[in-house]
Amino acid sequence: MNLFYLGSSCFTNDSRRQLKKRKLIVNNATQKREKYLFLLLLKIKSIKNFNFVSFGLGESNGVHKKKIFKSNNYTDIYLGYFGFGKLKYLSGILSAIIFLSTKVKSGDVLISYNTHIGYVAAVGILKIFKKITYIIEFEDFYHKSDYRYYFTKPFEKIGIILSDKFIVSSVGIKKFLEKDLKGRKFIVHSGYRNNTKTNKNSFGINKIFSSKLKLKTIKIIYTGTLDEYRGILDLIKIFSKNNSNSFELFISGDGPLKDFIIDKEKENSKITYLGNLNEEEYHNLLLRADICVNSQIPSIDINFPSKITQYLSLGKFVISTKCISLEQSEFSQLINFYDYSDSSSFWEIIESRFSKENHQSDTIIRSFNRIFDKMDKNLITGLMD
C-alpha cells in the first residue's frame, strides 16, 4: 500500500534549491501544515511507500518539467507546468491528472490538503477504475466575501462526495460537514508545531530585530494575512486607543492592506511593520514576542487559525477574538478570549492576566505538548481504522 499526500508547497531546502528557477509561490502557513502532517504520516507502519506530491507552481513562466527527489523515507514529486498566467494553472491540473492516473494503484491511500481542482479531477477518474482510499484534510474554507469561495465551492462539493474520511482542523468544520455526511469518519487535528517537542530556545536572535525591539516594552505581535477579515484594522484601532508607552505592536505578513499599515507605522511610532519574514526571522520574532494576537472577525468562525498552535508551542500568551473553532478546541484553556472590536475587553484581559515577569511559558508548553501528543496519536490511529 502506497500513500500519496497531495499538496502545493515545498518544505525541504534541497528541493527549494533545485526548483529555484520556478520562483515558487509560497504560503507559509500551508507549507508548515503540510510539512508537519506529512512527516507525521511517516509513522504509519502499514504504508510501504510515501510520496509527497506538489503542484510546485511558481511565478516563472515557460516550460518546467516534473521533478522527482528521493530520500530515505519518501519521494518528493513536483509536477510540471508550462505557459503563463492561467495557462500555467490549467497545465498543472492536466499534469496532476496524468501523473496520478498512471502512478496510483488499487489499495493506495490519497490525502489532499483541502480540495484542489486538479487533485479532485484525478481522484474522480481513479475512483471509477481503481479501489482507493481518498481522505481530505480540510484546513479551512474561503469566506463568502472572497471571490475564490465561488470558484472552489463546486470542487469542494465533488471532493466531499468522493472522500472516504476527513481530517479537519476544528470541531466547527467537523460539525458543519457531518450534518450531511452521516457515517463518514472525522479526525480533528489542528495546526502544527515546530518539532516533535518544541524547544523555545532552539532559535537564535536575528540582528534585524535588535534595533527595532526595545527590551522593556511589552511586545504585541500580529502575523499573517493583512486583510480586513483577519481583523488587522480592528487590532490597529484597539492598539491606538492605548496611550501607554509600555506597549509596541509588531506586524508581519502581506496582503491588500499592506500600504495602509505602512501609513499607520508612519503615524504611530509604537507600530512597526516588518514585512514578509523568512522562517528564521519569523521564529526569532515569536521568541521576542510577549503577546500574540489572533484578531479575525467573528464571521470566520469554523476555520482554525493554525498560527495559534505555533504561538502556544513556544509558550506565548495568546489573546484571540471569540470563534467556535477556538472556543471548542482542546486548546481553549490556553487562550485568552476578548470581544471583537471591544478595546476595553482587549486591554482588560492583558492588564488582569498578563505579567511579563511572571508569565509561565514552560507550563503552557507542557500543557500544549500533552494535548498535541494526544492529537497526533488519534490521527495515526484514526487513519488506520
Side-chain angles (χ1 to χ4, degrees), residues 204-211 278 280-281 284-285 288:
I205 299 301
N206 192 300
K207 292 180 180 178
I208 72 165
F209 300 117
S210 60
S211 62
N278 64 36
E280 181 185 1
E281 292 167 344
N284 287 328
L285 172 64
R288 300 290 293 272

Side-chain angles (χ1 to χ4, degrees), residues 5 19 51 57 61 86 93 118 132 143 148 152-153 170 175 180 205-206 214 218 222 275 293 302 316 339:
Y5 185 95
L19 298 171
N51 303 274
L57 287 174
N61 297 323
K86 293 181 180 179
I93 291 169
I132 61 169
H143 193 265
R148 291 173 294 183
T152 60
K153 196 65 178 178
S170 73
K175 289 182 177 179
D180 302 317
I205 299 301
N206 192 300
K214 299 173 184 178
I218 294 172
Y222 171 92
V293 183
I302 65 173
K316 296 303 170 181
D339 296 320

Side-chain angles (χ1 to χ4, degrees), residues 161-318:
I161 293 170
L162 295 172
S163 186
D164 301 290
K165 297 180 183 179
F166 297 90
I167 303 168
V168 293
S169 67
S170 73
V171 174
I173 293 179
K174 178 178 181 288
K175 289 182 177 179
F176 175 76
L177 289 174
E178 68 182 357
K179 290 183 295 185
D180 302 317
L181 297 169
K182 302 298 183 183
R184 303 279 186 95
K185 183 158 191 172
F186 293 86
I187 307 162
V188 178
H189 189 282
S190 310
Y192 49 84
R193 50 181 168 180
N194 303 313
N195 299 298
T196 305
K197 289 289 188 295
T198 299
N199 181 351
K200 67 174 182 175
N201 297 314
S202 59
F203 298 94
I205 299 301
N206 192 300
K207 292 180 180 178
I208 72 165
F209 300 117
S210 60
S211 62
K212 293 185 177 181
L213 297 178
K214 299 173 184 178
L215 293 177
K216 294 184 179 180
T217 58
I218 294 172
K219 292 165 281 295
I220 300 173
I221 307 295
Y222 171 92
T223 64
T225 305
L226 307 179
D227 63 31
E228 60 179 302
Y229 308 111
R230 298 306 190 278
I232 185 63
L233 294 179
D234 180 69
L235 177 60
I236 290 174
K237 288 179 183 178
I238 287 175
F239 181 81
S240 299
K241 287 182 180 181
N242 189 308
N243 296 320
S244 172
N245 290 321
S246 299
F247 298 93
E248 291 181 279
L249 174 62
F250 290 85
I251 300 168
S252 77
D254 200 0
L257 294 177
K258 174 182 174 180
D259 291 338
F260 172 84
I261 290 166
I262 291 173
D263 289 339
K264 286 297 178 182
E265 179 185 30
K266 294 174 182 176
E267 296 173 8
N268 191 333
S269 62
K270 296 185 294 180
I271 296 176
T272 300
Y273 174 57
L274 296 169
N276 255 336
L277 305 178
N278 64 36
E279 189 169 351
E280 181 185 1
E281 292 167 344
Y282 179 70
H283 281 294
N284 287 328
L285 172 64
L286 294 186
L287 286 175
R288 300 290 293 272
D290 296 305
I291 298 170
C292 296
V293 183
N294 172 57
S295 54
Q296 71 182 31
I297 62 174
S299 61
I300 306 179
D301 58 355
I302 65 173
N303 292 347
F304 185 94
S306 57
K307 60 186 178 182
I308 291 286
T309 55
Q310 187 163 31
Y311 297 159
L312 293 174
S313 74
L314 294 171
K316 296 303 170 181
F317 182 94
V318 176

Side-chain angles (χ1 to χ4, degrees), residues 4 6 108-116 119-121 123-124 127 131-138 155-156 158-166 184:
F4 293 82
L6 312 178
D108 287 349
V109 178
L110 286 77
I111 302 177
S112 70
Y113 181 90
N114 287 329
T115 50
H116 191 289
Y119 294 143
V120 170
V123 170
K127 283 267 187 176
K131 188 176 181 180
I132 61 169
T133 299
Y134 179 48
I135 302 167
I136 299 176
E137 180 207 344
F138 265 122
F155 302 105
E156 279 182 359
I158 295 171
I160 289 169
I161 293 170
L162 295 172
S163 186
D164 301 290
K165 297 180 183 179
F166 297 90
R184 303 279 186 95

